[in-house]
Amino acid sequence: MSRPATGTALLLCTALFLTSACTSEPAVPPSDATVNIGFLAPLSGPAASAGAETKRGAELAVDIINGHHPSIPLPLGPGAGLPRLHNAKIKLQAADTAGPPSRGATQVARLVGTKHVVAMAGGYESAVTEAASARSERLKIPFVNGGSSASSLTERGLDWFFRTGPSDLSYGRVVFSLLKERQSKGTSVKRITVVHTDDQYGNDGSAMIKRLASHIDGKVVADIKVSAQSTDLSSHAQTASGSDPDVVLTLLYTPQALALRASFDRLAYRPPALIAFGGGYADPAFIQKDKRAAEGVCSRFAWSADLAQHNPTARAVADLYEQTYHAPMNDDAARAFTAVMSLAQAINDARSRTPADIRSALVNIDVPGRDTIMPWDGVKFDDNHQNIGARGIVEQIQNGRYRLVYPFDVANAQLQWPMADADGR
């Protein structure tokens, strides 16, 4: 073949190769294309009411980012969309995780494969979040969790998992600080009974409580495991009351929290104090189903409606939440809101839809507390991707709603100890 012919052939082959390469690769999305974020929550089954709250919190964050409420004083509040990504809008792709923990992993794979999400958020039960985040790790998709507190979640050495909310260890330190202060005033708190689900959330929490008990020279006198599917806690309640505790600490989901309360009621038993590590006690259903029996129960939280009244940003978001959903914003909704807002800020900082770029932005994110709705120092992740700015508080149900009782220097109500029901019993 002559040289001119050879040159022509080479040019033709090159053109064909380039055409083939271009047609085989996915089209580059336009600059204003929607950014898909996956969101996991139990939207059916026993935890559906809590899951609905988390989804509402996530949806409200997206609405604010997309420009529907420009007066909200948050970094992504003014304007519409992500300003550093050509004002791209965010679309929340929600998935139901009710069922076995493995369903969380299945939903992550589905959202990545069919909805083309560039990052994940949400997660409620710690066991579900563990499975889901392990799958997102394999797929190299960033996962930002706000609602699962098992300390072990950020102790696995994962590169793509981040938690904005406090861990149970952080919550435990607040609870035991409260117990120590009660002890300094002469209250006996040494005999501790723990009632917990027999899963990652409950077992991790129970182990943490045993470690922290030494801070008050205390002892766990009963460690009571409950199936996460159980709705009859009669025998567990008898064991708890028979252990003669100074304080009962619980890690239970909504069905078990309601069942334990009903079983205590049938026994006409009320411990001197019951302090919950969130879970079902944060579910509005816990108060609504029997306000008298709920009176006096304490729980640790990351969000406080009382503190929100002193923070213009938090107050504005809480008011908007109530106007939108005709219900007060609660801890589950606030933590989901913060997780999604933090993820969106990272995507904006990354100026990219590429998961690896978003992950890098999460590693370097530093949001001051004033730019969140939480009573925290802000959002900044340590080497384990646990937010070092997250803080916990303790609230107590008084007159049918949770009131902030600890830390004492910011409390809006006085801690009632021993606890009493609405009839003063």
Side-chain angles (χ1 to χ4, degrees):
M1 183 180 294
S2 65
R3 288 189 178 184
T6 301
T8 302
L10 286 172
L11 287 173
L12 179 59
C13 288
T14 301
L16 288 172
F17 172 80
L18 290 174
T19 301
S20 175
C22 291
T23 55
S24 64
E25 294 180 355
V28 177
S31 61
D32 61 348
T34 299
V35 179
N36 287 328
I37 293 177
F39 185 81
L40 302 181
L43 302 177
S44 61
S49 54
E53 293 287 349
T54 68
K55 184 170 178 280
R56 289 171 181 173
E59 288 172 338
L60 190 66
V62 170
D63 282 348
I64 291 171
I65 295 162
N66 286 345
H68 299 297
H69 308 285
S71 64
I72 296 296
L74 284 169
L76 295 178
L82 303 174
R84 295 181 180 178
L85 200 58
H86 309 287
N87 297 318
K89 304 291 182 66
I90 287 180
K91 184 173 183 179
L92 199 71
Q93 300 285 354
D96 186 4
T97 58
S102 60
R103 189 173 182 192
T106 302
Q107 292 288 36
V108 169
R110 182 183 67 82
L111 290 172
V112 172
T114 66
K115 300 298 182 180
H116 310 296
V117 301
V118 298
M120 294 296 307
Y124 178 67
E125 301 99 329
S126 291
V128 173
T129 298
E130 180 187 36
S133 56
R135 181 62 60 86
S136 71
E137 184 81 4
R138 290 198 293 273
L139 295 173
K140 293 182 169 51
I141 295 292
F143 191 123
V144 180
N145 169 263
S148 301
S149 56
S151 298
S152 60
L153 289 172
T154 47
E155 296 171 354
R156 296 171 293 164
L158 298 187
D159 290 328
W160 298 79
F161 179 74
F162 299 80
R163 176 165 51 200
T164 53
S167 69
D168 275 333
L169 181 58
S170 298
Y171 285 127
R173 287 171 177 154
V174 171
V175 169
F176 275 86
S177 177
L178 168 59
L179 294 179
K180 193 170 185 65
E181 293 208 38
R182 290 300 306 178
Q183 190 176 57
S184 70
K185 298 180 184 299
T187 302
S188 178
V189 296
K190 289 187 177 182
R191 294 180 60 83
I192 302 168
T193 290
V194 185
V195 187
H196 63 92
T197 50
D198 189 10
D199 63 0
Q200 186 177 28
Y201 163 59
N203 293 330
D204 277 16
S206 175
M208 172 270 300
I209 288 168
K210 290 172 183 174
R211 291 198 304 271
L212 294 180
S214 62
H215 292 193
I216 57 171
D217 194 24
K219 179 182 180 182
V220 173
V221 296
D223 183 295
I224 304 169
K225 293 184 179 182
V226 176
S227 167
Q229 286 73 47
S230 178
T231 56
D232 181 359
L233 271 63
S234 300
S235 63
H236 306 85
Q238 288 179 336
T239 302
S241 61
S243 66
D244 190 27
D246 295 321
V247 58
V248 174
L249 302 181
T250 67
L251 299 103
L252 301 171
Y253 297 116
T254 302
Q256 294 75 45
L258 292 171
L260 181 66
R261 186 179 70 184
S263 297
F264 277 165
D265 215 30
R266 286 193 296 271
L267 294 172
Y269 171 73
R270 288 180 74 78
L274 188 153
I275 304 177
F277 280 77
Y281 295 84
D283 190 334
F286 181 78
I287 298 178
Q288 294 166 358
K289 292 205 172 183
D290 189 341
K291 290 186 178 181
R292 181 197 61 78
E295 193 74 6
V297 168
C298 292
S299 183
R300 58 78 172 149
F301 289 113
W303 153 268
S304 168
D306 286 339
L307 282 180
Q309 297 308 307
H310 304 289
N311 178 333
T313 301
R315 186 171 64 248
V317 172
D319 289 346
L320 177 60
Y321 185 93
E322 189 156 12
Q323 292 167 15
T324 304
Y325 300 109
H326 310 293
M329 190 171 207
N330 74 349
D331 182 68
D332 289 328
R335 285 192 286 167
F337 177 95
T338 302
V340 171
M341 190 63 72
S342 299
L343 175 56
Q345 287 176 256
I347 296 172
N348 187 58
D349 290 346
R351 304 171 187 256
S352 170
R353 295 173 176 78
T354 303
D357 294 338
I358 297 169
R359 178 198 171 278
S360 295
L362 284 166
V363 168
N364 294 299
I365 198 169
D366 189 358
V367 182
R370 65 178 179 275
D371 288 339
T372 77
I373 65 168
M374 309 302 278
W376 299 348
D377 294 337
V379 177
K380 184 174 183 177
F381 299 109
D382 64 16
D383 290 342
N384 289 328
H385 299 170
Q386 168 63 46
N387 178 20
I388 60 175
R391 297 287 182 269
I393 50 91
V394 178
E395 295 195 328
Q396 184 175 43
I397 298 173
Q398 297 182 7
N399 299 317
R401 78 175 185 90
Y402 273 111
R403 299 298 307 279
L404 178 63
V405 295
Y406 189 78
F408 294 136
D409 59 344
V410 295
N412 288 65
Q414 185 173 354
L415 175 67
Q416 296 174 0
W417 191 305
M419 61 189 272
D421 63 23
D423 298 328
R425 294 186 292 173

